[in-house]
Amino acid sequence: MTDHHTFSSGTGSVVVTRAGARVAELRCGEHLPNVLYDGPAPVAGGDRLWPAPELEVFYEDPDDPQSWRSPPEVDPGTWTMTLEGPGAVLRQEALGSRMSRHVRPLEELPFDC
């Protein structure tokens, strides 16, 4: 099982990671910066699956805004990643649900870099 995979997308690239089922990098060109936030743990950045309802999943106490947390069952979770066709499928069971995320790179970018 792979931990991450890089896909070509238009003139750039997309990096998908198994940890947190994240799109960790999105680059418009080979030597251009990552357009997604790339920070240290515990807020690793990128784009991830966001289960809902947020108050029930991400807050230990819905009345306390300071109680927000990212459930470790989701991020990093126990995701599997399989390469299927031009993309990746990430799956896991957590929080009483089956979760899946399909990531496929664009052949052309809908905007100029």
Side-chain angles (χ1 to χ4, degrees):
M1 176 181 349
T2 182
D3 285 332
H4 71 279
H5 190 78
T6 302
F7 296 96
S8 293
S9 180
T11 60
S13 62
V14 176
V15 175
V16 180
T17 66
R18 191 169 55 84
R22 290 182 180 276
V23 175
E25 295 181 19
L26 178 59
R27 298 179 189 276
C28 292
E30 185 179 345
H31 301 291
L32 293 176
N34 182 7
V35 299
L36 300 175
Y37 174 76
D38 185 15
V43 183
D47 176 69
R48 66 177 172 83
L49 185 70
W50 196 268
E54 186 174 355
L55 279 177
E56 292 179 21
V57 177
F58 291 96
Y59 288 86
E60 291 179 9
D61 176 359
D63 295 323
D64 178 9
Q66 300 300 315
S67 71
W68 186 94
R69 64 171 179 74
S70 181
E73 303 91 350
V74 175
D75 190 6
T78 55
W79 296 91
T80 62
M81 179 166 57
T82 56
L83 304 179
E84 295 184 13
V89 178
L90 300 117
R91 293 182 177 93
Q92 80 159 348
E93 290 189 25
L95 305 174
S97 300
R98 288 185 183 149
M99 301 177 196
S100 66
R101 184 173 193 191
H102 300 243
V103 179
R104 292 172 44 180
L106 297 172
E107 291 180 21
E108 286 185 34
L109 298 176
F111 52 85
D112 292 329
C113 289

